[in-house]
Amino acid sequence: MEKKNTVTDNGRKIALLHWKIQQWKLKFQLMDDEIVFIKRLLDSNAFKPNIPNLFERLQDYKTRLQVIEKRNAAVRSQISLHENNLGNELDIADSSISADDVKKNDRLQVNVDECQRDYQNLKSEIFNYTGSIFIMNEPEGK
């Protein structure tokens, strides 16, 4: 009976780790979609002319977005490897979650959280800056 509970517990642990991985992948997909929007915004002509250092600021934001994208790609690669390793363990009937698997998962959680935090900070900085320099159309009828 003890062996069955251990297998069930390990199955639950593997399922939980797999669920976390799916959540990470979803977060990165949402980030990708937002980054596409932000890049289009930064490349648009929606900003007031004659803003000091506008071009330089927009270029800096684009460069920083590229850095975030590269880092995200590296973390996603680590996530895929980790997911594949967990998948292999699911295929083994008596598999168990090792301490190494848990450590890898915890390190990946830290990396995912750091990517999210850095991206959210940059996104807020971009929106705070650009939100005040949009060209505003006059309402019709004036």
Side-chain angles (χ1 to χ4, degrees):
M1 187 69 173
E2 183 65 33
K3 180 147 176 108
K4 184 176 184 199
N5 285 339
T6 302
V7 171
T8 303
D9 288 346
N10 284 327
R12 285 185 189 138
K13 289 176 184 176
I14 291 172
L16 178 61
L17 293 181
H18 182 69
W19 181 83
K20 278 186 173 183
I21 288 169
Q22 296 309 309
Q23 296 304 304
W24 296 338
K25 290 164 72 174
L26 177 61
K27 286 179 181 183
F28 281 111
Q29 183 60 50
L30 293 171
M31 212 183 324
D32 288 347
D33 293 344
E34 288 182 359
I35 288 173
V36 168
F37 171 79
I38 292 170
K39 285 179 170 182
R40 288 180 181 160
L41 172 69
L42 295 176
D43 287 334
S44 74
N45 292 321
F47 307 111
K48 295 176 185 175
N50 304 322
I51 301 292
N53 301 320
L54 175 63
F55 178 78
E56 291 81 3
R57 286 281 290 268
L58 297 179
Q59 286 305 117
D60 177 58
Y61 291 145
K62 290 177 193 178
T63 300
R64 290 165 59 193
L65 277 173
Q66 287 175 339
V67 169
I68 284 175
E69 286 181 303
K70 286 179 184 173
R71 182 174 174 201
N72 288 355
V75 172
R76 280 174 132 157
S77 178
Q78 293 171 353
I79 289 170
S80 291
L81 289 171
H82 184 56
E83 184 177 32
N84 289 342
N85 289 339
L86 289 176
N88 290 338
E89 290 179 17
L90 280 173
D91 293 338
I92 301 170
D94 290 334
S95 67
S96 64
I97 294 293
S98 68
D100 191 45
D101 289 328
V102 173
K103 284 180 186 177
K104 284 179 188 174
N105 203 74
D106 290 346
R107 281 193 305 268
L108 279 171
Q109 182 69 61
V110 168
N111 288 341
V112 169
D113 290 345
E114 287 175 354
C115 287
Q116 285 280 296
R117 183 196 64 231
D118 292 347
Y119 167 69
Q120 291 298 329
N121 289 340
L122 179 58
K123 180 174 83 169
S124 293
E125 185 180 336
I126 290 170
F127 287 169
N128 286 335
Y129 176 71
T130 60
S132 64
I133 60 170
F134 282 124
I135 296 172
M136 300 299 236
N137 292 332
E138 292 294 321
E140 290 187 30
K142 280 195 170 187

